[in-house]
């Protein structure tokens, strides 16, 4: 029970940090483009959009390759959809990976910026 609560709190904390980082990135970008009403709402919409896109891509890939995956997995006592779990994890980590790429001048992304 305690492990489940800690897991949920950790996911929530990561979500808050990820949204905050993306809001910061969006506000930096929008400063040069006259500003935006709410960087936080933009960051949340972006997070949901990225997670949804990743989920759809993974779902199509699994169907195309005819890979058998379980419909549910148990993580610390919680029953989760594996594709949704992977999608939200990647979407939450994406702003931090982008920051690392910018700091380290990573060449992973097209354009290398």
């Amino acid at each position: 029970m305690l492990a489940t609560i800690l897991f949920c709190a950790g996911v929530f904390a990561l979500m808050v940090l990820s949204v905050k980082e993306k809001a910061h990135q969006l506000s930096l970008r929008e400063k040069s483009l006259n500003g935006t009403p709410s960087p936080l709402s933009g960051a949340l919409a972006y997070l949901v959009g990225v997670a949804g896109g990743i989920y759809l891509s993974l779902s199509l890939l699994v169907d195309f390759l005819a890979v058998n995956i379980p419909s549910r997995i148990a993580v610390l006592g919680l029953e989760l959809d594996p594709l949704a779990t992977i999608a939200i994890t990647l979407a939450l980590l994406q702003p931090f990976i982008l920051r690392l790429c910018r700091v380290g001048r990573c060449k992973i992304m097209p354009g290398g910026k």
Side-chain angles (χ1 to χ4, degrees):
M1 176 71 175
L2 180 61
T4 301
I5 292 171
L6 290 175
F7 176 75
C8 290
V11 168
F12 182 74
L14 183 60
M15 187 175 84
V16 169
L17 289 172
S18 180
V19 168
K20 184 178 176 184
E21 176 63 27
K22 193 61 186 176
H24 175 69
Q25 290 174 3
L26 289 174
S27 68
L28 290 177
R29 181 191 298 170
E30 294 296 326
K31 280 183 182 178
S32 64
L33 302 173
N34 300 330
T36 180
S38 173
L40 181 61
S41 66
L44 279 172
Y46 185 82
L47 176 68
V48 171
V50 168
I54 293 171
Y55 181 83
L56 288 174
S57 298
L58 288 174
S59 179
L60 290 172
L61 184 64
V62 166
D63 287 343
F64 178 74
L65 296 176
V67 176
N68 291 326
I69 60 168
S71 61
R72 296 298 221 193
I73 57 171
V75 177
L76 297 175
L78 297 173
E79 294 281 327
L80 303 171
D81 177 357
L83 293 181
T85 304
I86 293 169
I88 195 69
T89 301
L90 291 175
L92 289 172
L93 294 177
Q94 186 251 0
F96 304 110
I97 294 169
L98 285 177
R99 178 175 279 221
L100 286 174
C101 284
R102 280 195 197 104
V103 169
R105 300 191 193 275
C106 180
K107 301 294 182 193
I108 292 173
M109 302 200 42
K113 293 183 179 181

